[in-house]
Amino acid sequence: MATDIARYNGIYGDHKARISHDYLQSQLIVPRQRVTDWGLKPHLHENLFQLFFLEAGRAAFEATELVELRTPCLVIIPANTVHGFTFSPQVKGRTLTLSEALLDTILQATPGVLVEINALHILSEFTSEVSFADLSALEQQIHEEINSELPGKQLALNGYFKLLFVKIFRLLHHHRGQGESPNRALHYFREFQKAIERTAPFEKKISDFAQELKITPVHLNRICQAVKGKTAQQIVQAHTIRRAHNYLLYTSLSVAEIAYELQFVDPGYFTRFFRKQTGLAPGAYRAKAYRSDSAGKVVKAGQIES
């Protein structure tokens, strides 16, 4: 694998995109009028989770090695995973791309599903309960809902996403087999999430959270890395940013009022923290989200309830 791997903030080829918590894209892979194969060179997306629904045609997937794909198949690619594709001109399918933060929001109440889904998988064997047609139809419904302005849009997207992910989870469970013991790490991770929700930002150190769980900070960090690929501190920070995002987009509170709602010691500290994590000051982040929303380019993650 080449060491100089292309990194894209947005979809393949997009170097300039700034990914918000609510980034969501659905695209069609269409047959091409050409005689040679084409594809996507090995690359990665640091904050994007992707699903490739390949319905027909020849395709190969490159990660740690080159794998010939048998269509129809579903390829699940977590964030920060180097990957590439080669497609025949006749390939047909769809891609669904969403920010890691949006995936977290949808599945935050079900960490067991999240940890199963958020890993590299190539699924080409389906069941009578979960067929490729079922999964593809749900992706099509999500695509249509993204591009609609129908009443109850966010509720519909919430339902479609959860149904899609639970079907994939069941398919993964079917392939894994029965009888595995519950993952103790997921129990600790969920309890850590609950503790974060009850705590003001920076009120506790990671060692305090670990002590409450009766494990060491090193153990807590290992659990977080295994479940989410992030440190415990990064998960605390992401939770704070997600709450700030919801206040900024779905309330009329001022930046100063939001800072105090989140129990920061002062608005300046909140602004510095937010800018460091997102690259934008809170006011600029709010303004950018409103501009994007008016252009119909984003789906607000904060309205997809867990």
Side-chain angles (χ1 to χ4, degrees):
M1 188 69 68
T3 56
D4 188 18
I5 297 295
R7 297 169 180 262
Y8 298 113
N9 291 328
I11 56 177
Y12 184 79
D14 189 349
H15 290 280
K16 298 181 179 179
R18 295 189 67 88
I19 298 306
S20 64
H21 278 55
D22 35 30
Y23 187 92
L24 177 58
Q25 290 275 354
S26 172
Q27 294 183 306
L28 184 65
I29 304 173
V30 296
R32 298 194 170 192
Q33 298 299 317
R34 56 189 296 172
V35 295
T36 58
D37 288 352
W38 61 284
L40 311 177
K41 293 180 180 180
H43 64 284
L44 62 80
H45 310 276
E46 292 186 356
N47 299 300
L48 296 180
F49 171 88
Q50 292 188 299
L51 297 167
F52 279 73
F53 301 79
L54 300 176
E55 180 181 343
R58 290 184 297 102
F61 176 72
E62 183 177 355
T64 56
E65 59 183 356
L66 189 67
V67 178
E68 293 292 331
L69 300 177
R70 186 175 77 248
T71 57
C73 69
L74 172 66
V75 183
I76 304 172
I77 307 172
N80 219 27
T81 300
V82 176
H83 63 283
F85 283 94
T86 301
F87 300 124
S88 71
Q90 298 77 30
V91 76
K92 182 181 179 183
R94 303 193 69 91
T95 64
L96 187 60
T97 303
L98 58 155
S99 70
E100 196 175 26
L102 178 53
L103 179 70
D104 287 351
T105 299
I106 296 167
L107 296 177
Q108 62 181 329
T110 52
V113 176
L114 178 61
V115 71
E116 290 276 357
I117 294 293
N118 200 21
L120 181 62
H121 297 285
I122 299 174
L123 299 173
S124 56
E125 296 183 7
F126 302 91
T127 67
S128 56
E129 290 79 20
V130 183
S131 68
F132 178 83
D134 293 335
L135 302 179
S136 183
L138 280 167
E139 199 287 333
Q140 178 64 35
Q141 288 173 306
I142 289 170
H143 176 84
E144 292 173 358
E145 204 64 46
I146 290 170
N147 294 285
S148 79
E149 293 302 331
L150 297 172
K153 175 177 178 175
Q154 306 302 333
L155 184 61
L157 280 169
N158 182 40
Y160 289 142
F161 266 117
K162 287 189 173 180
L163 186 55
L164 173 63
F165 288 139
V166 78
K167 282 183 175 291
I168 294 173
F169 175 71
R170 288 174 177 175
L171 192 60
L172 292 171
H173 188 266
H174 171 80
H175 288 307
R176 189 178 68 243
Q178 306 294 325
E180 291 192 358
S181 60
N183 190 336
R184 185 65 176 168
L186 289 177
H187 166 75
Y188 283 126
F189 182 75
R190 184 53 184 153
E191 291 303 310
F192 177 48
Q193 285 185 313
K194 290 178 182 177
I196 294 170
E197 291 167 2
R198 296 191 299 263
T199 306
F202 316 114
E203 182 181 351
K204 293 180 181 177
K205 298 178 180 179
I206 297 304
S207 57
D208 296 326
F209 288 111
Q211 186 175 17
E212 290 178 2
L213 293 170
K214 296 180 172 59
I215 58 177
T216 67
V218 172
H219 191 186
L220 178 56
N221 270 305
R222 285 175 180 166
I223 289 168
C224 292
Q225 289 283 2
V227 175
K228 288 293 299 166
K230 297 179 180 179
T231 66
Q233 189 61 51
Q234 287 172 329
I235 289 171
V236 172
Q237 292 168 344
H239 175 77
T240 303
I241 291 295
R242 184 162 55 242
R243 290 181 62 197
H245 163 89
N246 289 342
Y247 276 120
L248 287 166
L249 268 62
Y250 308 116
T251 76
S252 59
L253 294 176
S254 69
V255 171
E257 289 171 328
I258 293 171
Y260 292 124
E261 283 288 329
L262 294 174
Q263 300 182 49
F264 278 79
V265 292
D266 62 69
Y269 185 22
F270 168 61
T271 296
R272 290 191 297 274
F273 170 79
F274 192 90
R275 184 187 287 115
K276 183 178 179 180
Q277 297 299 317
T278 68
L280 291 172
Y285 184 92
R286 173 181 266 169
K288 183 176 183 290
Y290 286 164
R291 287 197 302 271
S292 298
D293 186 51
S294 64
K297 294 181 180 177
V298 298
V299 178
K300 289 185 171 56
Q303 292 184 0
I304 298 182
E305 299 176 358
S306 60

PDB file of all heavy atoms in Angstrom, residues 143-171:
ATOM      1  N   HIS A 143     -32.356   7.983   0.046  1.00  0.00           N
ATOM      2  CA  HIS A 143     -32.007   8.925  -1.025  1.00  0.00           C
ATOM      3  C   HIS A 143     -33.187   9.827  -1.376  1.00  0.00           C
ATOM      4  O   HIS A 143     -33.041  11.045  -1.502  1.00  0.00           O
ATOM      5  CB  HIS A 143     -31.566   8.139  -2.257  1.00  0.00           C
ATOM      6  CG  HIS A 143     -31.284   8.989  -3.453  1.00  0.00           C
ATOM      7  ND1 HIS A 143     -30.075   9.616  -3.656  1.00  0.00           N
ATOM      8  CD2 HIS A 143     -32.072   9.342  -4.505  1.00  0.00           C
ATOM      9  CE1 HIS A 143     -30.123  10.305  -4.773  1.00  0.00           C
ATOM     10  NE2 HIS A 143     -31.321  10.155  -5.313  1.00  0.00           N
ATOM     11  N   GLU A 144     -34.353   9.233  -1.534  1.00  0.00           N
ATOM     12  CA  GLU A 144     -35.535  10.021  -1.897  1.00  0.00           C
ATOM     13  C   GLU A 144     -35.914  10.986  -0.784  1.00  0.00           C
ATOM     14  O   GLU A 144     -36.326  12.122  -1.047  1.00  0.00           O
ATOM     15  CB  GLU A 144     -36.698   9.079  -2.218  1.00  0.00           C
ATOM     16  CG  GLU A 144     -36.466   8.271  -3.501  1.00  0.00           C
ATOM     17  CD  GLU A 144     -37.538   7.221  -3.729  1.00  0.00           C
ATOM     18  OE1 GLU A 144     -38.448   7.096  -2.861  1.00  0.00           O
ATOM     19  OE2 GLU A 144     -37.465   6.508  -4.747  1.00  0.00           O
ATOM     20  N   GLU A 145     -35.752  10.543   0.474  1.00  0.00           N
ATOM     21  CA  GLU A 145     -36.113  11.395   1.598  1.00  0.00           C
ATOM     22  C   GLU A 145     -35.141  12.567   1.725  1.00  0.00           C
ATOM     23  O   GLU A 145     -35.551  13.695   2.021  1.00  0.00           O
ATOM     24  CB  GLU A 145     -36.130  10.579   2.891  1.00  0.00           C
ATOM     25  CG  GLU A 145     -36.998  11.152   3.982  1.00  0.00           C
ATOM     26  CD  GLU A 145     -38.476  11.181   3.639  1.00  0.00           C
ATOM     27  OE1 GLU A 145     -39.006  10.171   3.136  1.00  0.00           O
ATOM     28  OE2 GLU A 145     -39.114  12.233   3.871  1.00  0.00           O
ATOM     29  N   ILE A 146     -33.855  12.319   1.495  1.00  0.00           N
ATOM     30  CA  ILE A 146     -32.863  13.390   1.545  1.00  0.00           C
ATOM     31  C   ILE A 146     -33.237  14.509   0.579  1.00  0.00           C
ATOM     32  O   ILE A 146     -33.096  15.696   0.886  1.00  0.00           O
ATOM     33  CB  ILE A 146     -31.460  12.848   1.203  1.00  0.00           C
ATOM     34  CG1 ILE A 146     -30.935  11.942   2.314  1.00  0.00           C
ATOM     35  CG2 ILE A 146     -30.464  14.001   0.968  1.00  0.00           C
ATOM     36  CD1 ILE A 146     -29.668  11.195   1.939  1.00  0.00           C
ATOM     37  N   ASN A 147     -33.695  14.118  -0.591  1.00  0.00           N
ATOM     38  CA  ASN A 147     -33.975  15.086  -1.648  1.00  0.00           C
ATOM     39  C   ASN A 147     -35.418  15.569  -1.669  1.00  0.00           C
ATOM     40  O   ASN A 147     -35.843  16.224  -2.616  1.00  0.00           O
ATOM     41  CB  ASN A 147     -33.608  14.480  -3.006  1.00  0.00           C
ATOM     42  CG  ASN A 147     -32.126  14.237  -3.147  1.00  0.00           C
ATOM     43  OD1 ASN A 147     -31.352  15.167  -3.334  1.00  0.00           O
ATOM     44  ND2 ASN A 147     -31.701  12.990  -3.017  1.00  0.00           N
ATOM     45  N   SER A 148     -36.158  15.263  -0.617  1.00  0.00           N
ATOM     46  CA  SER A 148     -37.557  15.706  -0.536  1.00  0.00           C
ATOM     47  C   SER A 148     -37.684  16.853   0.451  1.00  0.00           C
ATOM     48  O   SER A 148     -36.769  17.158   1.198  1.00  0.00           O
ATOM     49  CB  SER A 148     -38.449  14.552  -0.082  1.00  0.00           C
ATOM     50  OG  SER A 148     -38.341  14.372   1.336  1.00  0.00           O
ATOM     51  N   GLU A 149     -38.833  17.470   0.441  1.00  0.00           N
ATOM     52  CA  GLU A 149     -39.186  18.473   1.451  1.00  0.00           C
ATOM     53  C   GLU A 149     -40.536  18.105   2.055  1.00  0.00           C
ATOM     54  O   GLU A 149     -41.369  18.957   2.323  1.00  0.00           O
ATOM     55  CB  GLU A 149     -39.222  19.870   0.822  1.00  0.00           C
ATOM     56  CG  GLU A 149     -37.864  20.387   0.375  1.00  0.00           C
ATOM     57  CD  GLU A 149     -36.834  20.453   1.504  1.00  0.00           C
ATOM     58  OE1 GLU A 149     -37.244  20.637   2.675  1.00  0.00           O
ATOM     59  OE2 GLU A 149     -35.635  20.303   1.221  1.00  0.00           O
ATOM     60  N   LEU A 150     -40.733  16.812   2.260  1.00  0.00           N
ATOM     61  CA  LEU A 150     -42.001  16.319   2.777  1.00  0.00           C
ATOM     62  C   LEU A 150     -42.096  16.540   4.283  1.00  0.00           C
ATOM     63  O   LEU A 150     -41.075  16.560   4.980  1.00  0.00           O
ATOM     64  CB  LEU A 150     -42.146  14.825   2.472  1.00  0.00           C
ATOM     65  CG  LEU A 150     -42.202  14.442   0.990  1.00  0.00           C
ATOM     66  CD1 LEU A 150     -42.142  12.935   0.837  1.00  0.00           C
ATOM     67  CD2 LEU A 150     -43.477  14.999   0.345  1.00  0.00           C
ATOM     68  N   PRO A 151     -43.322  16.703   4.792  1.00  0.00           N
ATOM     69  CA  PRO A 151     -43.471  16.823   6.251  1.00  0.00           C
ATOM     70  C   PRO A 151     -42.985  15.548   6.947  1.00  0.00           C
ATOM     71  O   PRO A 151     -43.164  14.458   6.437  1.00  0.00           O
ATOM     72  CB  PRO A 151     -44.981  17.026   6.442  1.00  0.00           C
ATOM     73  CG  PRO A 151     -45.618  16.854   5.129  1.00  0.00           C
ATOM     74  CD  PRO A 151     -44.585  16.786   4.074  1.00  0.00           C
ATOM     75  N   GLY A 152     -42.372  15.729   8.108  1.00  0.00           N
ATOM     76  CA  GLY A 152     -41.869  14.583   8.862  1.00  0.00           C
ATOM     77  C   GLY A 152     -40.603  13.975   8.279  1.00  0.00           C
ATOM     78  O   GLY A 152     -40.274  12.818   8.557  1.00  0.00           O
ATOM     79  N   LYS A 153     -39.863  14.767   7.505  1.00  0.00           N
ATOM     80  CA  LYS A 153     -38.659  14.269   6.830  1.00  0.00           C
ATOM     81  C   LYS A 153     -37.653  13.681   7.816  1.00  0.00           C
ATOM     82  O   LYS A 153     -37.127  12.588   7.602  1.00  0.00           O
ATOM     83  CB  LYS A 153     -38.030  15.414   6.037  1.00  0.00           C
ATOM     84  CG  LYS A 153     -36.701  15.092   5.375  1.00  0.00           C
ATOM     85  CD  LYS A 153     -36.227  16.282   4.561  1.00  0.00           C
ATOM     86  CE  LYS A 153     -34.889  16.021   3.914  1.00  0.00           C
ATOM     87  NZ  LYS A 153     -34.472  17.125   3.021  1.00  0.00           N
ATOM     88  N   GLN A 154     -37.373  14.393   8.900  1.00  0.00           N
ATOM     89  CA  GLN A 154     -36.366  13.926   9.853  1.00  0.00           C
ATOM     90  C   GLN A 154     -36.806  12.641  10.552  1.00  0.00           C
ATOM     91  O   GLN A 154     -35.998  11.735  10.774  1.00  0.00           O
ATOM     92  CB  GLN A 154     -36.074  15.020  10.894  1.00  0.00           C
ATOM     93  CG  GLN A 154     -35.685  16.364  10.299  1.00  0.00           C
ATOM     94  CD  GLN A 154     -34.460  16.275   9.403  1.00  0.00           C
ATOM     95  OE1 GLN A 154     -33.623  15.391   9.582  1.00  0.00           O
ATOM     96  NE2 GLN A 154     -34.351  17.170   8.442  1.00  0.00           N
ATOM     97  N   LEU A 155     -38.070  12.545  10.866  1.00  0.00           N
ATOM     98  CA  LEU A 155     -38.589  11.335  11.502  1.00  0.00           C
ATOM     99  C   LEU A 155     -38.476  10.147  10.549  1.00  0.00           C
ATOM    100  O   LEU A 155     -38.114   9.036  10.957  1.00  0.00           O
ATOM    101  CB  LEU A 155     -40.048  11.554  11.920  1.00  0.00           C
ATOM    102  CG  LEU A 155     -40.709  10.410  12.690  1.00  0.00           C
ATOM    103  CD1 LEU A 155     -39.970  10.143  13.987  1.00  0.00           C
ATOM    104  CD2 LEU A 155     -42.176  10.749  12.968  1.00  0.00           C
ATOM    105  N   ALA A 156     -38.775  10.383   9.267  1.00  0.00           N
ATOM    106  CA  ALA A 156     -38.673   9.311   8.274  1.00  0.00           C
ATOM    107  C   ALA A 156     -37.225   8.846   8.124  1.00  0.00           C
ATOM    108  O   ALA A 156     -36.945   7.645   8.094  1.00  0.00           O
ATOM    109  CB  ALA A 156     -39.223   9.790   6.937  1.00  0.00           C
ATOM    110  N   LEU A 157     -36.296   9.812   8.032  1.00  0.00           N
ATOM    111  CA  LEU A 157     -34.887   9.442   7.913  1.00  0.00           C
ATOM    112  C   LEU A 157     -34.413   8.657   9.130  1.00  0.00           C
ATOM    113  O   LEU A 157     -33.663   7.678   9.004  1.00  0.00           O
ATOM    114  CB  LEU A 157     -34.031  10.700   7.736  1.00  0.00           C
ATOM    115  CG  LEU A 157     -33.986  11.281   6.324  1.00  0.00           C
ATOM    116  CD1 LEU A 157     -33.345  12.665   6.331  1.00  0.00           C
ATOM    117  CD2 LEU A 157     -33.237  10.346   5.377  1.00  0.00           C
ATOM    118  N   ASN A 158     -34.846   9.094  10.289  1.00  0.00           N
ATOM    119  CA  ASN A 158     -34.507   8.386  11.521  1.00  0.00           C
ATOM    120  C   ASN A 158     -34.942   6.923  11.431  1.00  0.00           C
ATOM    121  O   ASN A 158     -34.172   5.995  11.726  1.00  0.00           O
ATOM    122  CB  ASN A 158     -35.191   9.078  12.700  1.00  0.00           C
ATOM    123  CG  ASN A 158     -34.859   8.424  14.026  1.00  0.00           C
ATOM    124  OD1 ASN A 158     -33.724   8.033  14.258  1.00  0.00           O
ATOM    125  ND2 ASN A 158     -35.843   8.306  14.886  1.00  0.00           N
ATOM    126  N   GLY A 159     -36.175   6.712  10.999  1.00  0.00           N
ATOM    127  CA  GLY A 159     -36.704   5.356  10.893  1.00  0.00           C
ATOM    128  C   GLY A 159     -35.986   4.522   9.845  1.00  0.00           C
ATOM    129  O   GLY A 159     -35.633   3.353  10.088  1.00  0.00           O
ATOM    130  N   TYR A 160     -35.748   5.094   8.671  1.00  0.00           N
ATOM    131  CA  TYR A 160     -35.071   4.358   7.608  1.00  0.00           C
ATOM    132  C   TYR A 160     -33.657   3.958   8.008  1.00  0.00           C
ATOM    133  O   TYR A 160     -33.220   2.821   7.761  1.00  0.00           O
ATOM    134  CB  TYR A 160     -35.021   5.198   6.326  1.00  0.00           C
ATOM    135  CG  TYR A 160     -36.359   5.378   5.638  1.00  0.00           C
ATOM    136  CD1 TYR A 160     -36.684   6.591   5.032  1.00  0.00           C
ATOM    137  CD2 TYR A 160     -37.292   4.343   5.569  1.00  0.00           C
ATOM    138  CE1 TYR A 160     -37.905   6.775   4.393  1.00  0.00           C
ATOM    139  CE2 TYR A 160     -38.508   4.514   4.938  1.00  0.00           C
ATOM    140  CZ  TYR A 160     -38.817   5.732   4.347  1.00  0.00           C
ATOM    141  OH  TYR A 160     -40.016   5.910   3.714  1.00  0.00           O
ATOM    142  N   PHE A 161     -32.929   4.893   8.615  1.00  0.00           N
ATOM    143  CA  PHE A 161     -31.562   4.592   9.019  1.00  0.00           C
ATOM    144  C   PHE A 161     -31.535   3.480  10.061  1.00  0.00           C
ATOM    145  O   PHE A 161     -30.732   2.549   9.987  1.00  0.00           O
ATOM    146  CB  PHE A 161     -30.879   5.840   9.575  1.00  0.00           C
ATOM    147  CG  PHE A 161     -30.078   6.598   8.560  1.00  0.00           C
ATOM    148  CD1 PHE A 161     -30.420   7.890   8.206  1.00  0.00           C
ATOM    149  CD2 PHE A 161     -28.981   6.011   7.954  1.00  0.00           C
ATOM    150  CE1 PHE A 161     -29.677   8.589   7.273  1.00  0.00           C
ATOM    151  CE2 PHE A 161     -28.227   6.704   7.022  1.00  0.00           C
ATOM    152  CZ  PHE A 161     -28.580   8.001   6.678  1.00  0.00           C
ATOM    153  N   LYS A 162     -32.388   3.588  11.053  1.00  0.00           N
ATOM    154  CA  LYS A 162     -32.376   2.572  12.105  1.00  0.00           C
ATOM    155  C   LYS A 162     -32.749   1.201  11.550  1.00  0.00           C
ATOM    156  O   LYS A 162     -32.156   0.180  11.932  1.00  0.00           O
ATOM    157  CB  LYS A 162     -33.314   2.984  13.236  1.00  0.00           C
ATOM    158  CG  LYS A 162     -32.749   4.117  14.075  1.00  0.00           C
ATOM    159  CD  LYS A 162     -33.578   4.357  15.316  1.00  0.00           C
ATOM    160  CE  LYS A 162     -32.905   5.387  16.222  1.00  0.00           C
ATOM    161  NZ  LYS A 162     -33.663   5.645  17.438  1.00  0.00           N
ATOM    162  N   LEU A 163     -33.724   1.154  10.640  1.00  0.00           N
ATOM    163  CA  LEU A 163     -34.106  -0.120  10.048  1.00  0.00           C
ATOM    164  C   LEU A 163     -32.977  -0.678   9.196  1.00  0.00           C
ATOM    165  O   LEU A 163     -32.690  -1.883   9.239  1.00  0.00           O
ATOM    166  CB  LEU A 163     -35.370   0.063   9.207  1.00  0.00           C
ATOM    167  CG  LEU A 163     -35.987  -1.212   8.626  1.00  0.00           C
ATOM    168  CD1 LEU A 163     -36.271  -2.227   9.725  1.00  0.00           C
ATOM    169  CD2 LEU A 163     -37.263  -0.879   7.857  1.00  0.00           C
ATOM    170  N   LEU A 164     -32.307   0.179   8.435  1.00  0.00           N
ATOM    171  CA  LEU A 164     -31.173  -0.276   7.626  1.00  0.00           C
ATOM    172  C   LEU A 164     -30.083  -0.856   8.514  1.00  0.00           C
ATOM    173  O   LEU A 164     -29.565  -1.960   8.258  1.00  0.00           O
ATOM    174  CB  LEU A 164     -30.623   0.900   6.812  1.00  0.00           C
ATOM    175  CG  LEU A 164     -29.333   0.631   6.033  1.00  0.00           C
ATOM    176  CD1 LEU A 164     -29.546  -0.437   4.969  1.00  0.00           C
ATOM    177  CD2 LEU A 164     -28.802   1.925   5.415  1.00  0.00           C
ATOM    178  N   PHE A 165     -29.725  -0.139   9.570  1.00  0.00           N
ATOM    179  CA  PHE A 165     -28.628  -0.607  10.417  1.00  0.00           C
ATOM    180  C   PHE A 165     -28.995  -1.863  11.201  1.00  0.00           C
ATOM    181  O   PHE A 165     -28.140  -2.723  11.423  1.00  0.00           O
ATOM    182  CB  PHE A 165     -28.179   0.515  11.359  1.00  0.00           C
ATOM    183  CG  PHE A 165     -27.433   1.625  10.663  1.00  0.00           C
ATOM    184  CD1 PHE A 165     -27.661   2.946  10.994  1.00  0.00           C
ATOM    185  CD2 PHE A 165     -26.511   1.342   9.665  1.00  0.00           C
ATOM    186  CE1 PHE A 165     -26.977   3.967  10.355  1.00  0.00           C
ATOM    187  CE2 PHE A 165     -25.822   2.350   9.014  1.00  0.00           C
ATOM    188  CZ  PHE A 165     -26.051   3.671   9.359  1.00  0.00           C
ATOM    189  N   VAL A 166     -30.228  -1.982  11.622  1.00  0.00           N
ATOM    190  CA  VAL A 166     -30.585  -3.194  12.365  1.00  0.00           C
ATOM    191  C   VAL A 166     -30.604  -4.400  11.426  1.00  0.00           C
ATOM    192  O   VAL A 166     -30.224  -5.519  11.819  1.00  0.00           O
ATOM    193  CB  VAL A 166     -31.929  -3.029  13.109  1.00  0.00           C
ATOM    194  CG1 VAL A 166     -33.127  -3.166  12.173  1.00  0.00           C
ATOM    195  CG2 VAL A 166     -32.033  -4.055  14.241  1.00  0.00           C
ATOM    196  N   LYS A 167     -30.981  -4.203  10.163  1.00  0.00           N
ATOM    197  CA  LYS A 167     -30.942  -5.312   9.200  1.00  0.00           C
ATOM    198  C   LYS A 167     -29.498  -5.744   8.941  1.00  0.00           C
ATOM    199  O   LYS A 167     -29.193  -6.949   8.882  1.00  0.00           O
ATOM    200  CB  LYS A 167     -31.644  -4.911   7.906  1.00  0.00           C
ATOM    201  CG  LYS A 167     -33.166  -4.956   7.985  1.00  0.00           C
ATOM    202  CD  LYS A 167     -33.813  -4.624   6.660  1.00  0.00           C
ATOM    203  CE  LYS A 167     -35.329  -4.788   6.713  1.00  0.00           C
ATOM    204  NZ  LYS A 167     -35.735  -6.212   6.829  1.00  0.00           N
ATOM    205  N   ILE A 168     -28.604  -4.771   8.797  1.00  0.00           N
ATOM    206  CA  ILE A 168     -27.191  -5.109   8.606  1.00  0.00           C
ATOM    207  C   ILE A 168     -26.650  -5.814   9.846  1.00  0.00           C
ATOM    208  O   ILE A 168     -25.910  -6.802   9.749  1.00  0.00           O
ATOM    209  CB  ILE A 168     -26.376  -3.840   8.291  1.00  0.00           C
ATOM    210  CG1 ILE A 168     -26.797  -3.252   6.939  1.00  0.00           C
ATOM    211  CG2 ILE A 168     -24.884  -4.159   8.282  1.00  0.00           C
ATOM    212  CD1 ILE A 168     -26.164  -1.903   6.634  1.00  0.00           C
ATOM    213  N   PHE A 169     -27.021  -5.318  11.019  1.00  0.00           N
ATOM    214  CA  PHE A 169     -26.589  -5.928  12.275  1.00  0.00           C
ATOM    215  C   PHE A 169     -27.053  -7.386  12.352  1.00  0.00           C
ATOM    216  O   PHE A 169     -26.286  -8.278  12.746  1.00  0.00           O
ATOM    217  CB  PHE A 169     -27.153  -5.125  13.445  1.00  0.00           C
ATOM    218  CG  PHE A 169     -26.886  -5.710  14.800  1.00  0.00           C
ATOM    219  CD1 PHE A 169     -25.613  -5.696  15.349  1.00  0.00           C
ATOM    220  CD2 PHE A 169     -27.915  -6.276  15.540  1.00  0.00           C
ATOM    221  CE1 PHE A 169     -25.365  -6.240  16.601  1.00  0.00           C
ATOM    222  CE2 PHE A 169     -27.688  -6.823  16.782  1.00  0.00           C
ATOM    223  CZ  PHE A 169     -26.408  -6.801  17.317  1.00  0.00           C
ATOM    224  N   ARG A 170     -28.281  -7.649  11.968  1.00  0.00           N
ATOM    225  CA  ARG A 170     -28.797  -9.023  11.994  1.00  0.00           C
ATOM    226  C   ARG A 170     -28.060  -9.907  11.005  1.00  0.00           C
ATOM    227  O   ARG A 170     -27.788 -11.084  11.288  1.00  0.00           O
ATOM    228  CB  ARG A 170     -30.298  -9.020  11.693  1.00  0.00           C
ATOM    229  CG  ARG A 170     -31.135  -8.465  12.835  1.00  0.00           C
ATOM    230  CD  ARG A 170     -32.598  -8.334  12.451  1.00  0.00           C
ATOM    231  NE  ARG A 170     -33.401  -7.867  13.587  1.00  0.00           N
ATOM    232  CZ  ARG A 170     -34.689  -7.570  13.510  1.00  0.00           C
ATOM    233  NH1 ARG A 170     -35.328  -7.685  12.339  1.00  0.00           N
ATOM    234  NH2 ARG A 170     -35.344  -7.157  14.580  1.00  0.00           N
ATOM    235  N   LEU A 171     -27.717  -9.349   9.855  1.00  0.00           N
ATOM    236  CA  LEU A 171     -26.972 -10.117   8.858  1.00  0.00           C
ATOM    237  C   LEU A 171     -25.576 -10.446   9.377  1.00  0.00           C
ATOM    238  O   LEU A 171     -25.099 -11.578   9.236  1.00  0.00           O
ATOM    239  CB  LEU A 171     -26.893  -9.312   7.561  1.00  0.00           C
ATOM    240  CG  LEU A 171     -26.404 -10.052   6.315  1.00  0.00           C
ATOM    241  CD1 LEU A 171     -27.318 -11.227   5.979  1.00  0.00           C
ATOM    242  CD2 LEU A 171     -26.333  -9.085   5.131  1.00  0.00           C
TER     243      LEU A 171
END
